């Protein structure tokens, strides 16, 4: 049983046993929603960032661990269309590292949370007998009924993505190859590309503009890979999707890495993950004009890469030569042996 | 530098760098408080429960890990006088244990959260390359300005405690001795006492009644030990305390364990921790009548064990023979070598 089946089972258990009071939205989206007084809801999300699973201290320093752990959680608020309110961080760290590392780690957390107007307001600091584990919980506010869910996409909607997903995955692949000393002919990357992996930008400003322009009918942030995360929208909305390969905004670097590793050129774009870009669905035509404004204001390009179909569970890509191909829907699954080496 | 000095430093960093927007209460109490619409605040708390630090799978099964992780976080809501709204759990678990253990663990979390009307509404499930780490974040609601803080105790207030702190610590001491095969002459305990360690009861009902009766001027839940947690109130309120040893509700079991281990009979009461009982301060006379009602309704006794003084930083116990003695203020410190074997 994989991670997502397990989560589905836990969700069933929670709905059966535990939910004695109504909450606006429970397990299964980027955030849950709790009713608040007035016309607000509180969006909450928690994410564990685990050494040896999500990162290695070979290529992350402690400050960057803090930055990325915070950014990944803030990204969940963006994906719900919520405005940040505050963050909590539970840090479990080896005793011998605590003295030297904790200030760097806390600095990364506090500065990143502060930058996105989501002050670090609480936490827990414990020893760890093993890996460093940083669990960041974020709280945000959203007007009642205006959170952007995964389950409300409509057939015919356009599929858009922010930025250039795949860069983070390609950088990670190079770092992992180097770690195994398989350095031959791997492309070099600059600090901007490295930043795509180490310090992703939670797309809160972009989400704010998208809410005004659309709003999107559904939205998710890309953590497990575009195909896997799109599939969450498809499953929760009971729809299918058709992607157009010629529309994919593939950077040169990720294509070079894919070529060296013998992978399709859009491998990292579709399956890389960790970019924390926004993937959204929106009725046809709505974003055509506004996408330019979003880019002008935020510097982030938005690309239309496909559309939703009524064919439940179908995820198809049209290749540049016109062929249609079913797409693998799986991304990073913590309990799948395929990815266990990652 | 110890855990609490580190937290103080992180708090300073957060206040200096990160807090760009006002929050009702930041780092340093049982919960932080976020302003909500209307007359509410949201109380949030996060706690990591780490294998090999907070528990061992020698004497906790996975279900009990879920129960205790949930109870410990719910206890923070009780200590603030907040009403539970919802919980999130981030679980990092060894891949090879996930299949068999996750349902038990989730069951313990979901049932405990559900029992206290705090449905599990979200979470994160990841692999762990080492220990099991369960981080539970709870959210609760409290009327604006009515949260019970650590910093608002007054000189002359009485100090009260719920239940019989020390049992959990004494049971843990026996289990640890047995683990090291030092079983000679250690007292036996029944399942009720074992439950004090494995499945503490978050004192939410008691806190509700105390709010109505008092409210308390300050409150905290006992996780690190009564003396250490009382000291948090003293430091944050700028006060001292005088405890009366003859008032301590010491159970027979914890006294027996202390005797065998060559410790003072109130060692576990003062320094044991992990009971998740409430420690509170309240103006003189207010609870004298209501304590009986609390016991009748909840089954939990409340004991007056001392009073607050204006002598900042002084923590004194009057022994049964009349002598005054300064009390050690430290409890379980994750980064202190003294306790690293625990």
């Amino acid at each position: 049983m994989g991670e997502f089946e397990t989560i589905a089972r836990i969700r069933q258990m929670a709905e059966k046993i535990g939910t004695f009071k109504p909450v606006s939205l429970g397990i299964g989206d980027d955030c849950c929603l709790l009713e608040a007084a007035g016309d607000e809801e509180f969006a909450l999300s928690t994410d564990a960032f685990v050494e040896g699973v999500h990162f290695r201290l070979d290529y992350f320093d402690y400050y960057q661990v803090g930055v990325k752990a915070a950014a990944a959680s803030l990204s969940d608020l963006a994906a719900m269309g919520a405005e940040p309110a505050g963050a909590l961080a539970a840090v479990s760290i080896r005793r011998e590292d605590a003295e030297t590392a904790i200030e760097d780690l806390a600095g990364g957390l506090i500065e990143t949370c502060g930058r996105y107007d989501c002050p670090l307001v609480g936490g827990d600091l414990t020893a760890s007998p093993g890996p460093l584990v940083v669990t960041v919980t974020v709280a945000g506010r959203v007007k009642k009924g205006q959170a952007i869910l995964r389950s409300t996409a409509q057939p015919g909607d356009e599929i858009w993505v922010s930025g250039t997903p795949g860069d983070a995955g390609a950088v990670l692949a190079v770092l992992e190859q180097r770690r195994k000393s398989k350095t031959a002919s791997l492309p070099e990357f600059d600090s901007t590309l490295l930043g795509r992996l180490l310090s992703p930008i939670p797309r809160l400003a972009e989400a704010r503009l998208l809410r005004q322009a659309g709003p999107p009918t559904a939205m998710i942030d890309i953590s497990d890979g575009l195909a896997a995360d799109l599939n969450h929208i498809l499953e929760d909305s009971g729809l299918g999707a058709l992607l157009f390969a010629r529309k994919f905004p593939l950077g040169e670097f990720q294509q070079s890495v894919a070529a060296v590793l013998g992978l399709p050129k859009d491998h990292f774009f579709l399956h890389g993950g960790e970019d924390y870009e926004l993937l959204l669905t929106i009725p046809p035509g709505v974003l055509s004009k506004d996408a330019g404004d979003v880019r002008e204001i935020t510097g982030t390009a938005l690309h239309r890469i496909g559309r939703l179909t009524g064919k439940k569970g179908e995820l198809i890509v049209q290749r540049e030569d016109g062929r249609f191909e079913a797409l693998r829907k799986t991304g990073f699954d913590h309990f799948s042996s395929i990815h266990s080496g990652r």
Side-chain angles (χ1 to χ4, degrees), chain A:
Chain A
M1 190 172 55
E3 180 189 356
F4 300 109
E5 289 76 18
T6 307
I7 291 171
R9 218 158 45 148
I10 293 172
R11 180 180 179 169
Q12 285 171 353
M13 287 171 69
E15 284 170 358
K16 199 165 144 191
I17 307 173
T19 306
F20 294 129
K21 70 168 79 170
V23 292
S24 298
L25 185 69
I27 297 170
D29 213 305
D30 295 293
C31 296
C32 68
L33 294 173
L34 296 179
E35 287 185 17
D39 64 342
E40 271 186 2
E41 290 171 317
F42 260 75
L44 292 172
S45 179
T46 193
D47 278 299
F49 195 52
V50 182
E51 183 185 349
V53 176
H54 300 90
F55 69 95
R56 294 183 199 278
L57 290 169
D58 302 16
Y59 38 79
F60 276 83
D61 65 26
Y62 286 94
Y63 178 85
Q64 289 159 340
V65 168
V67 170
K68 181 146 181 182
S73 284
L74 289 164
S75 176
D76 284 321
L77 291 179
M80 291 298 276
E83 288 298 328
L88 301 99
V91 174
S92 300
I93 186 167
R94 278 177 288 267
R95 274 189 191 82
E96 58 271 28
D97 299 338
E99 180 77 24
T100 52
I102 195 70
E103 268 190 66
D104 285 344
L105 180 59
L109 286 167
I110 290 166
E111 285 178 32
T112 306
C113 289
R115 182 170 302 127
Y116 298 98
D117 211 15
C118 191
L120 188 75
V121 288
D124 187 24
L125 181 60
T126 75
S128 168
L132 174 62
V133 180
V134 182
T135 304
V136 178
T137 303
V138 287
R141 298 184 178 89
V142 61
K143 291 266 176 255
K144 209 158 270 182
Q146 294 188 15
I148 304 169
L149 313 183
R150 298 176 180 179
S151 56
T152 44
Q154 300 297 321
D157 282 351
E158 296 172 352
I159 303 168
W160 289 71
V161 71
S162 70
T164 54
D167 290 342
V171 168
L172 180 61
V174 171
L175 289 169
E176 283 292 303
Q177 292 289 316
R178 281 191 195 157
R179 204 172 61 87
K180 296 170 191 160
S181 305
K182 297 177 182 169
T183 52
S185 71
L186 278 165
E188 294 295 319
F189 51 81
D190 61 12
S191 61
T192 305
L193 275 166
L194 182 60
R196 298 296 310 276
L197 177 69
L198 300 190
S199 46
I201 296 168
R203 298 300 189 191
L204 286 155
E206 293 78 359
R208 205 168 290 134
L209 293 168
L210 284 165
R211 268 179 2 234
Q212 291 162 14
T217 51
M219 192 150 68
I220 192 170
D221 65 327
I222 301 176
S223 54
D224 297 323
L226 189 146
D229 287 315
L230 174 57
N231 193 49
H232 291 313
I233 290 180
L234 300 184
E235 287 199 342
D236 292 358
S237 296
L239 297 173
L242 174 63
L243 300 180
F244 309 115
R246 70 194 154 78
K247 301 277 194 182
F248 295 169
L250 302 182
E252 260 180 56
F253 172 72
Q254 60 175 279
Q255 293 186 65
S256 309
V257 178
V260 173
L261 298 176
L263 295 164
K265 68 178 179 180
D266 54 13
H267 172 82
F268 294 109
F269 178 79
L270 290 170
H271 304 294
E274 302 219 30
D275 291 283
Y276 298 97
E277 294 294 351
L278 294 174
L279 181 69
L280 60 120
T281 63
I282 198 160
V286 171
L287 260 189
S288 310
K289 191 193 134 294
D290 291 311
D293 291 349
V294 172
R295 178 168 201 160
E296 202 164 300
I297 296 168
T298 64
T300 306
L302 299 175
H303 295 275
R304 185 168 60 84
I305 59 165
R307 61 176 166 78
L308 294 178
T309 68
K311 293 180 183 161
K312 189 173 170 177
E314 203 176 73
L315 178 47
I316 304 285
V317 61
Q318 183 173 29
R319 293 290 170 199
E320 279 155 317
D321 61 7
R323 280 181 308 111
F324 293 94
E325 187 186 308
L327 206 55
R328 173 165 69 84
K329 296 169 186 173
T330 51
F332 184 55
D333 181 328
H334 282 289
F335 299 134
S336 154
S337 57
I338 301 169
H339 295 270
S340 64
R342 179 167 165 180

